[in-house]
Amino acid sequence: MGFDEMDVDTIWMDGEFVDWDDAEIHVLTHGLHYGSGVFEGARCYDTDNGPALFRWEEHLDRLFQSAKPYEMDIDFTKEELTAATKALIQRQELPSCYIRPIAYYGYNSLGVSPKDCPTRTAIAVWPWGAYLGEDALENGIDVMISSWRKHASSQIPTNAKTSGLYVNSMLAGEEARRNGYAEAIVLNKEGNVAEGPGENIFLVRDGELFTPGLSESILDGITRDSVIQIAEDLGYTVHDNVSISRGELNTADELFFTGSAAEVTPIRKVDNVVIGNGSRGPITEEIQQKFFEIVEEAPDEYDDWFEYVDI
Ligand code: PMP
């Protein structure tokens, strides 16, 4: 579904609310040429207690952390970005939506050095359902191991959510879709499992969970963190600092992706090898159900994961 079909009309740009159609930037913007932007992807859920930003503090913290290696000073405080986001949701009466804040080097000079370029900041919100489709959440997806490797964390900070990094994600994802798969798994430079193009990955084996550690060149996913906490609260042991070899994918009992967009998406086949029983596995289902129960009900135990928006 394209933006034209969505009922969204306002974007926040550098302190102003701008009509969606007028939210334009100069073609010589540094971030366009060199990928020098950092961004976030978060969700507002329509919980039983009202619309709420999910793990918003963590998303804002990651945005500011992502800016650090690029010496980018975001001109707005976290409070200002929160107020702008809430106002966008309120103005457009969007009780559940996806939220995309971005900060990037703007227009001034086109040397690789951004030192004369202003930092520009924008936030957009729009309705976005299941990223990989409703069917994917229930029945799982078929994925392929990409022939593209992930950048090593010695080459570029892979823990920063940087615009330029996503050409690697795009290559991997499009290669998978061209070959008839829904999504890719990307290996790191060492050949171990890193993550999906926009998702972290979990493996279930003998009733325990495993997910690649932060030194495996992955993004420190906020849904990854939520799922680790949920799984532990459900009584599972989670190994979150391990290397996972490619072959371990084939022999896993269950596999699933996590992400703010992808939420908790089961994986049923990798390169046409059936994983476990070839459908959503029981532990994946239990964690997925708990995740959706939490974002629907916003229960007291997880209250600090929610920042409410009055609409
Ligand atoms: N890895 C990559 C490369 C991503 O783009 C994302 C999406 N932000 C994730 C993992 C999952 O992170 P999160 O749960 O914070 O959305």
Side-chain angles (χ1 to χ4, degrees):
M1 176 151 96
F3 289 119
D4 288 349
E5 298 147 68
M6 294 176 181
D7 198 13
V8 279
D9 54 25
T10 310
I11 287 185
W12 181 89
M13 285 178 87
D14 301 300
E16 311 280 332
F17 292 96
V18 180
D19 283 349
W20 190 279
D21 292 339
D22 297 331
E24 293 179 342
I25 57 171
H26 199 278
V27 73
L28 297 184
T29 292
H30 193 279
L32 174 65
H33 292 253
Y34 305 121
S36 56
V38 295
F39 67 101
E40 271 306 314
R43 279 186 188 266
C44 177
Y45 284 102
D46 191 11
T47 77
D48 291 350
N49 306 330
L53 310 178
F54 184 64
R55 305 211 66 184
W56 182 243
E57 270 310 305
E58 290 83 349
H59 282 284
L60 276 182
D61 286 346
R62 192 171 64 186
L63 181 72
F64 281 79
Q65 295 286 9
S66 293
K68 275 195 170 173
Y70 302 104
E71 299 176 275
M72 182 186 286
D73 289 322
I74 299 175
D75 296 330
F76 297 89
T77 62
K78 292 179 184 171
E79 291 71 30
E80 287 168 326
L81 297 181
T82 302
T85 302
K86 288 184 177 177
L88 281 173
I89 291 170
Q90 285 156 344
R91 287 167 78 115
Q92 297 172 110
E93 295 176 13
L94 281 174
S96 72
C97 59
Y98 182 78
I99 307 161
R100 167 56 55 82
I102 183 165
Y104 57 98
Y105 281 116
Y107 164 79
N108 186 316
S109 60
L110 258 192
V112 170
S113 169
K115 77 177 170 40
D116 296 325
C117 298
T119 301
R120 311 242 0 222
T121 312
I123 306 170
V125 302
W126 65 85
W128 210 1
Y131 179 62
L132 296 163
E134 280 298 331
D135 179 67
L137 293 177
E138 200 173 321
N139 297 316
I141 54 170
D142 296 348
V143 303
M144 103 174 241
I145 302 197
S146 178
S147 66
W148 295 103
R149 294 284 172 93
K150 180 120 194 186
H151 329 83
S153 53
S154 57
Q155 296 168 317
I156 195 156
T158 48
N159 59 339
K161 198 166 163 61
T162 310
S163 305
L165 287 182
Y166 282 81
V167 289
N168 177 262
S169 292
M170 188 184 85
L171 285 167
E174 293 312 294
E175 177 188 38
R177 285 181 275 279
R178 215 167 35 244
N179 284 285
Y181 298 89
E183 189 58 301
I185 291 174
V186 191
L187 305 179
N188 61 21
K189 194 158 161 274
E190 292 71 36
N192 292 321
V193 175
E195 58 187 347
E199 304 89 1
N200 292 110
I201 189 166
F202 283 77
L203 179 152
V204 180
R205 191 172 59 219
D206 297 333
E208 298 190 349
L209 284 93
F210 300 80
T211 192
L214 298 182
S215 54
E216 300 296 305
S217 301
I218 64 164
L219 186 72
D220 186 359
I222 293 162
T223 322
R224 174 184 182 275
D225 182 70
S226 305
V227 160
I228 291 170
Q229 287 193 46
I230 291 170
E232 287 177 346
D233 290 350
L234 289 169
Y236 291 106
T237 299
V238 183
H239 306 270
D240 62 0
N241 196 16
V242 291
S243 289
I244 296 178
S245 67
R246 177 175 181 163
E248 287 175 89
L249 294 174
N250 295 334
T251 55
D253 298 329
E254 303 178 27
L255 290 176
F256 62 90
F257 275 142
T258 63
S260 301
E263 297 167 309
V264 179
T265 300
I267 296 171
R268 62 183 176 196
K269 280 186 192 167
V270 177
D271 286 339
N272 279 326
V273 175
V274 173
I275 306 304
N277 60 10
S279 62
R280 174 173 58 186
I283 294 177
T284 306
E285 183 170 355
E286 188 185 352
I287 290 170
Q288 188 195 45
Q289 272 180 3
K290 187 72 190 173
F291 176 85
F292 282 116
E293 186 187 302
I294 291 170
V295 296
E296 273 160 38
E297 297 174 8
D300 287 347
E301 313 91 89
Y302 295 95
D303 188 48
D304 54 354
W305 285 1
F306 295 92
E307 161 110 26
Y308 289 95
V309 186
D310 295 324
I311 66 172

